[in-house]
Amino acid sequence: MEEQILSSETIYKGKVLNLRIDSVRFPSGREGKREIVEHRDAVTLLPIDADGRLLLIRQFRLAAGQVLLEAPAGIVDPGESPKETAHRELREETGFDCRTLEPLLRFYPAPGFSEEFMHSFVASDLFESTADPDDDENIELARYSLDEAVELIATGEIIDAKTICVVLAYKLRLHTARSGAD
């Protein structure tokens, strides 16, 4: 079932990602090539305020060519744990930090071509901190109830995959917790 890597060549090294071409042997014995994006692990988080609203961010994404409504996220820096990254990104992108950070789910956003692995968390018991977005970020904070966010997914207004994943996983977690309490 697995593919055997015969050779690898890095054809691009960048600040955020590298691009590698792997020559592989398929289980059938045939050979081919795979284009692989090398990308460090990342985090995304779903901050929940004291009123139960989700803190999402709006920012322009050049690759998408539009402003997207997203859950805060960022790349894990070398030597940093995913939890440390989650706290840093929460502060940088929302101006809040949290006392409670719970793992939600882990996933590969695009396993067909990327090594990126994403850790997601629910952040609660928020307190004000200092917003310090990266120099290349222009972020606007937005608050929605969980039901509003699910509706924005259903109507196609939230189209960012990581945000869809964490919002729906959180809704499922709450539904499962309520069902188990009955």
Side-chain angles (χ1 to χ4, degrees):
M1 176 85 51
E2 291 186 22
E3 297 175 7
Q4 178 186 6
I5 299 173
L6 304 173
S7 65
S8 290
E9 178 187 6
T10 299
I11 63 170
Y12 174 78
K13 286 191 176 229
K15 176 183 169 192
V16 175
L17 58 87
N18 300 329
L19 179 58
R20 183 181 82 226
I21 306 293
D22 289 348
S23 295
V24 298
R25 179 173 292 121
F26 302 114
S28 67
R30 293 182 35 227
E31 294 182 6
K33 300 214 182 275
R34 296 285 191 207
E35 298 171 349
I36 307 294
V37 172
E38 298 174 345
H39 190 285
R40 292 193 314 264
D41 283 5
V43 302
T44 187
L45 53 150
L46 197 58
I48 312 292
D49 72 12
D51 296 324
R53 293 175 298 169
L54 314 182
L55 276 62
L56 301 178
I57 59 173
R58 280 192 178 83
Q59 64 180 326
F60 179 77
R61 294 297 194 170
L62 184 60
Q66 61 184 306
V67 173
L68 297 181
L69 186 57
E70 304 177 44
I75 299 170
V76 177
D77 285 341
E80 193 175 50
S81 73
K83 279 191 169 191
E84 290 168 327
T85 304
H87 281 284
R88 176 176 50 80
E89 290 295 335
L90 182 59
R91 288 188 305 270
E92 287 177 5
E93 296 188 355
T94 70
F96 289 90
D97 202 344
C98 67
R99 291 181 186 86
T100 305
L101 189 65
E102 300 174 81
L104 181 60
L105 74 154
R106 302 172 325 136
F107 57 96
Y108 286 99
F113 63 86
S114 177
E115 296 177 338
E116 179 183 15
F117 188 74
M118 190 157 278
H119 307 262
S120 68
F121 300 92
V122 175
S124 58
D125 197 6
L126 303 180
F127 58 92
E128 287 191 36
S129 184
T130 303
D132 186 23
D134 292 337
D135 292 338
D136 62 350
E137 293 178 320
N138 184 17
I139 295 172
E140 176 187 318
L141 191 61
R143 297 175 192 243
Y144 295 93
S145 71
L146 179 57
D147 288 340
E148 289 170 333
V150 170
E151 181 65 20
L152 291 172
I153 292 168
T155 60
E157 293 177 64
I158 292 179
I159 57 174
D160 172 63
K162 71 183 176 312
T163 304
I164 293 168
C165 286
V166 297
V167 169
L168 295 181
Y170 182 66
K171 176 137 178 108
L172 181 61
R173 176 182 281 183
L174 292 180
H175 175 76
T176 302
R178 284 190 204 117
S179 296
D182 293 339

